[in-house]
Amino acid sequence: MDEIKNMLSIWKDRIAQTGTFIMPYAEDAEYIGSSAYFYVKQFNQARFFEGEPQSVNRFKEILDNAKAAGYEFATPSEVLAEGNVFENEYVDNIENGVAWHGGTAKAWANTEYSRIMDPVCLSILNGIKAVAEKLGETLDTLNTDLNNAMMALASAWVSDSRWPPAPTSPGRFNVRESLDDMYKANEAIANAMEKGGIAQKRGLYSPNLMKTQIKAIDDLLMGMKYFGE
């Protein structure tokens, strides 16, 4: 905590020297209450999501110290509403594909798990779009079934089931969850087509064929050996 207090002090001095700026601070939600991928990333140990109840207190301590140091908390929308924005001429210099903690989004997209799952997810997304258009909807006005499909697809596409690459790997549970979500998304699209009276229009999207495609990658992925097994 002394190091964090010192960091807050240094940033406070920079504010005084350079003028006001937005200092976003965030923590991966899974690290509040659990160890998440900490041991995998830091110690190359196959320990996933172990309970860390004291992390809640540690996070609160950071927030309390930031407030005591004079920092104000605000959501992005609140900051924008106050008009404290400026144009950043260097945005286009940020490398396409850059990501967090030393990795790149391109690396996430190029693991063997991504290369297997992403094409299936993309096919499901295209199906949602095609069915929505046929039903006279947009991605902003999806009915309940198509919205459920989109939510399940978003969960299926989550990065943790595609990362990290060798010599470690995702947890089997992460990959299993993504596969289950693909099935859910596919079923939700089928429901939308049935209720919309277009179940026979399989040229738009075929839930039956997509189910066999998901099952094919399910067998392939579940047949792999995962980190720690």
Side-chain angles (χ1 to χ4, degrees):
M1 188 51 62
D2 287 339
E3 291 180 12
I4 292 175
K5 288 180 179 179
N6 183 59
M7 178 180 65
L8 292 172
S9 176
I10 291 173
W11 286 343
K12 194 74 173 177
D13 291 340
R14 289 182 183 175
I15 292 175
Q17 294 168 4
T18 63
T20 185
F21 68 95
I22 299 171
M23 186 199 72
Y25 179 88
E27 178 57 279
D28 287 351
E30 64 264 28
Y31 286 101
I32 305 301
S34 87
S35 64
Y37 274 90
F38 175 78
Y39 292 105
V40 177
K41 290 188 291 186
Q42 302 297 328
F43 299 107
N44 199 37
Q45 296 179 11
R47 296 169 58 183
F48 305 91
F49 290 89
E50 296 179 3
E52 291 284 348
Q54 287 304 310
S55 64
V56 178
N57 296 330
R58 289 196 296 268
F59 186 59
K60 182 180 183 300
E61 190 176 2
I62 291 173
L63 296 179
D64 289 342
N65 275 278
K67 191 171 184 179
Y71 288 91
E72 298 180 14
F73 304 146
T75 63
S77 59
E78 289 172 340
V79 174
L80 292 174
E82 293 180 2
N84 294 328
V85 295
F86 58 90
E87 184 175 351
N88 185 345
E89 60 183 295
Y90 299 105
V91 167
D92 290 340
N93 293 359
I94 299 174
E95 187 172 13
N96 184 304
V98 72
W100 50 98
H101 42 71
T104 70
K106 295 294 189 284
W108 265 254
N110 201 38
T111 64
E112 58 183 318
Y113 320 101
S114 294
R115 294 196 300 270
I116 294 169
M117 287 189 279
D118 286 0
V120 179
C121 287
L122 182 59
S123 293
I124 295 172
L125 175 61
N126 289 336
I128 294 173
K129 291 178 178 179
V131 172
E133 183 178 3
K134 189 68 175 180
L135 295 177
E137 301 183 24
T138 70
L139 295 183
D140 293 323
T141 62
L142 296 177
N143 63 38
T144 300
D145 287 311
L146 289 179
N147 187 65
N148 288 341
M150 186 65 83
M151 294 300 100
L153 176 62
S155 180
W157 228 323
V158 70
S159 65
D160 279 354
S161 62
R162 291 149 169 78
W163 176 93
T168 54
S169 79
R172 178 179 293 273
F173 66 96
N174 277 133
V175 179
R176 180 71 261 162
E177 184 177 36
S178 282
L179 289 166
D180 290 344
D181 283 331
M182 290 180 208
Y183 287 116
K184 291 177 185 176
N186 186 55
E187 184 64 27
I189 298 173
N191 292 339
M193 294 178 73
E194 182 69 33
K195 293 176 184 177
I198 60 171
Q200 75 282 6
K201 298 187 181 299
R202 296 185 180 178
L204 290 172
Y205 182 82
S206 174
N208 292 342
L209 289 182
M210 183 53 65
K211 187 175 181 179
T212 66
Q213 188 173 1
I214 299 170
K215 181 62 167 61
I217 67 168
D218 189 332
D219 291 342
L220 177 62
L221 289 164
M222 288 296 99
M224 293 180 176
K225 185 176 182 179
Y226 290 91
F227 187 49
E229 295 182 345

